[in-house]
Amino acid sequence: MNSQKIVVAMGLLLFGSGLAQAQTPSTAGTKFTNQGSIANTRHNLTQRAPAAGPNGTFMDLVRNDYGEVCVYCHTPHGADTNVKLPLWNRTTQATTYKTYNELKTSSLTQTVSQPGVNSLSCLSCHDGQTAVDSIINMPGSGRYNANQATATFAASQTFLNSWPGTGPKTGADHQALNSAGCLSCHGGVAIPGAPDFRIAAIGTDLTNDHPVGITFPTTNGPGTDFKTPTGTKGNATFFDSNSNGNMDTGDVRLYDAKVECASCHDPHGVPSGAAGSTFNLTFMRVANTNSAVCLTCHAK
């Protein structure tokens, strides 16, 4: 289906349903509760939340509804063994990113490499190269395709169209987070009730984002510009926010001594307070009130 037709159809349907009075995309908030579970966040790509939550009807035009929240990233069987991620089920394309060091800023003193695996997991959706529903092992028997591990956007469409449940069945309608796909509705256009996702569409140019794949300074602590991690677990070091010796989900961490997307973000959501409290915004491990995220690592 042509993306422009989707935009028009969605606009008319939303208007007819009485949602035309909703906020504009730039100000519209999520209809998820952002409490308790990833199922109650935007990372629930089934888009079918509990009562009064998002309705998946419009999303059914552009992605498969697998009826499971976790399967869009993980699978108990047939996972990709080429990436060091837990039971990884998403397509991960080989991509060369434009990295922060290419700006040649005078303050950069550390080595920046291509994003590591704990960034590639996020970028497999947020770089806009891969359909949001592009997975290796779809639920049910006989729906596994090993080639999906690294399939291109075009090559994945036939397999994704074979899903017998709700979702597109023909053409190349399984959309990615880019201007031709998700952003045709979620890109600031006048679609009432459609949140603006442009800031989440990172692309392959990472020069305007905090560097990932960057080595954390080994010279740190008092008298330097960087604080010293206070805990270690496996190949990770972390800033133990509550001094309990555990790498909790709310602890900023380094992977192989590098900053990656998952250093500051947890895609499952982190409660802002006691159990059951609303998750931190944008899946942050630490709420950035008074620059708390920045000041976890930076001594300023």
Side-chain angles (χ1 to χ4, degrees), residues 33-38 40-41 268-272 277-281:
T33 63
N34 281 331
Q35 292 176 305
S37 165
I38 187 175
N40 300 322
T41 74
H268 306 97
V270 178
S272 57
S277 60
T278 303
F279 292 148
N280 293 328
L281 294 175

Side-chain angles (χ1 to χ4, degrees), residues 44-287:
N44 174 1
L45 295 182
T46 70
Q47 293 293 298
R48 285 180 169 83
N55 188 312
T57 302
F58 301 127
M59 287 287 289
D60 292 340
L61 298 170
V62 295
R63 67 89 184 87
N64 290 337
D65 178 4
Y66 296 122
E68 301 177 13
V69 179
C70 302
V71 75
Y72 291 90
C73 290
H74 305 286
T75 178
H77 304 287
D80 185 358
T81 58
N82 295 312
V83 293
K84 295 180 179 179
L85 291 167
L87 297 173
W88 195 242
N89 198 31
R90 271 195 62 72
T91 300
T92 307
Q93 295 187 45
T95 303
T96 299
Y97 296 90
K98 188 174 182 180
T99 52
Y100 183 81
N101 56 298
E102 295 183 46
L103 285 179
K104 302 185 185 301
T105 60
S106 59
S107 60
L108 181 65
T109 60
Q110 299 304 111
T111 300
V112 181
S113 65
Q114 286 291 302
V117 68
N118 290 291
S119 292
L120 294 176
S121 55
C122 305
L123 290 169
S124 68
C125 199
H126 287 273
D127 70 3
Q129 306 300 297
T130 306
V132 297
D133 60 346
S134 189
I135 61 176
I136 302 166
N137 190 20
M138 295 190 287
S141 177
R143 297 177 187 141
Y144 167 77
N145 184 343
N147 293 329
Q148 276 290 110
T150 56
T152 63
F153 177 86
S156 69
Q157 297 290 320
T158 299
F159 174 68
L160 298 179
N161 284 338
S162 70
W163 171 244
T166 302
K169 301 302 179 190
T170 60
D173 288 339
H174 302 266
Q175 298 299 318
L177 188 56
N178 56 39
S179 58
C182 301
L183 297 188
S184 61
C185 288
H186 293 280
V189 294
I191 301 296
D196 190 339
F197 288 169
R198 284 177 293 181
I199 193 63
I202 294 173
T204 59
D205 183 348
L206 309 182
T207 56
N208 66 340
D209 301 290
H210 186 289
V212 294
I214 185 171
T215 303
F216 193 77
T218 54
T219 301
N220 50 59
T224 73
D225 288 334
F226 296 91
K227 297 179 181 178
T228 302
T230 52
T232 301
K233 182 176 182 180
N235 69 336
T237 55
F238 61 97
F239 295 88
D240 193 355
S241 59
N242 58 6
S243 301
N244 68 353
N246 298 320
M247 190 168 72
D248 302 316
T249 185
D251 291 336
V252 173
R253 73 280 312 270
L254 307 169
Y255 296 95
D256 294 316
K258 293 183 177 182
V259 177
E260 302 290 356
C261 294
S263 293
C264 298
H265 300 273
D266 183 332
H268 306 97
V270 178
S272 57
S277 60
T278 303
F279 292 148
N280 293 328
L281 294 175
T282 60
F283 298 92
M284 298 298 293
R285 294 191 181 277
V286 178

